[in-house]
Amino acid sequence: NAGVTQTPKFQVLKTGQSMTLQCAQDMNHNSMYWYRQDPGMGLRLIYYSASEGTTDKGEVPNGYNVSRLNKREFSLRLESAAPSQTSVYFCASSEVTGDSYEQYFGPGTRLTVT
Amino acid sequence: AQSVTQLGSHVSVSEGALVLLRCNYSSSVPPYLFWYVQYPNQGLQLLLKYTSAATLVKGINGFEAEFKKSETSFHLTKPSAHMSDAAEYFCAVITNQAGTALIFGKGTTLSVSS
């Protein structure tokens, strides 16, 4: 049981380049999320997917797009990278069952845009 | 809308001393509250959660937190700090405006000296 996996772990891009961050979960969760973490800012929600086939914007969606490919996979795309997108990106998944809730996080992708 | 405020971006304690990390929340509905820990260059690990059951919640690694509705607080404590507790700690609340995504505080870095 791998939980939430993310690829790549590290990436360096030049301004204007594009890339896709991949995320997959094997816990059969309906909900998936992308967050970014910046020093002193905590984690902020970029996009989320409440279920397969749906996606919605979070707090900081500008410059990003997402695809919920199937129930397992949720990708984040930067079409034209900017230095302001230098950050650590975390994917997470969750399921609400009764009164139980827990969000599971992947190991993160450290992205630098020069 | 929900929010959390962590008081103190950096807390330093001696090994064996009490750890107290402060979190206050704002929520228009009964909140689900969480504490996560992040060790250097790693993802987030759930320490404990409050989901409207017992107000005193025990978590992993000897940590506990008490939900106080009258004070809108959910402070994290540990009676005796260990060197291995040095990490960044995040308080979070479920938002009801983005599926079941989390809103995070800005984090508190805990340093433990010998």
Side-chain angles (χ1 to χ4, degrees):
Chain A
N1 205 0
V4 180
T5 58
Q6 293 182 236
T7 56
K9 285 188 167 53
F10 301 94
Q11 184 71 49
V12 178
L13 292 178
K14 295 187 188 304
T15 297
Q17 288 185 319
S18 63
M19 76 163 296
T20 300
L21 282 64
Q22 306 286 353
C23 173
Q25 52 93 9
D26 62 2
M27 295 171 282
N28 202 37
H29 287 166
N30 279 309
S31 300
M32 297 186 73
Y33 314 85
W34 278 104
Y35 297 89
R36 60 177 288 174
Q37 182 182 21
D38 302 293
M41 300 292 291
L43 281 78
R44 292 178 292 169
L45 182 67
I46 305 172
Y47 270 92
Y48 68 100
S49 171
S51 61
E52 185 179 355
T54 69
T55 61
D56 284 288
K57 296 178 180 179
E59 180 186 356
V60 289
N62 291 346
Y64 305 96
N65 284 300
V66 291
S67 295
R68 184 73 182 268
L69 305 169
N70 47 56
K71 193 171 185 179
R72 289 188 64 248
E73 298 172 289
F74 188 38
S75 63
L76 179 71
R77 183 162 177 82
L78 287 70
E79 291 290 353
S80 179
S84 60
Q85 295 178 304
T86 293
S87 188
V88 182
Y89 292 85
F90 288 99
C91 177
S93 71
S94 71
E95 194 68 51
V96 179
T97 54
D99 201 34
S100 175
Y101 175 90
E102 183 172 342
Q103 198 160 121
Y104 295 83
F105 285 82
T109 295
R110 191 173 296 271
L111 175 67
T112 301
V113 183
T114 61
Chain B
Q2 287 82 1
S3 66
V4 290
T5 302
Q6 291 184 243
L7 302 174
S9 59
H10 200 145
V11 171
S12 297
V13 300
S14 299
E15 196 172 21
L18 171 71
V19 175
L20 171 60
L21 304 182
R22 300 178 187 272
C23 173
N24 288 91
Y25 71 90
S26 172
S27 178
S28 57
V29 298
Y32 280 19
L33 293 158
F34 306 82
W35 276 99
Y36 281 86
V37 60
Q38 184 181 35
Y39 298 102
N41 299 312
Q42 293 190 25
L44 275 74
Q45 180 181 10
L46 181 68
L47 272 178
L48 49 79
K49 61 184 177 183
Y50 169 76
T51 57
S52 77
T55 56
L56 183 62
V57 181
K58 294 188 184 300
I60 62 171
N61 301 339
F63 284 93
E64 63 181 35
E66 186 172 8
F67 173 72
K68 291 187 177 180
K69 185 178 180 180
S70 61
E71 298 177 11
T72 61
S73 68
F74 190 56
H75 301 332
L76 182 71
T77 60
K78 182 174 180 177
S80 176
H82 192 273
M83 297 292 283
S84 61
D85 294 327
E88 189 160 21
Y89 292 80
F90 294 96
C91 182
V93 64
I94 287 185
T95 173
N96 61 0
Q97 296 181 321
T100 51
L102 294 173
I103 295 176
F104 286 86
K106 295 186 176 181
T108 297
T109 299
L110 176 66
S111 300
V112 182
S113 58
S114 57

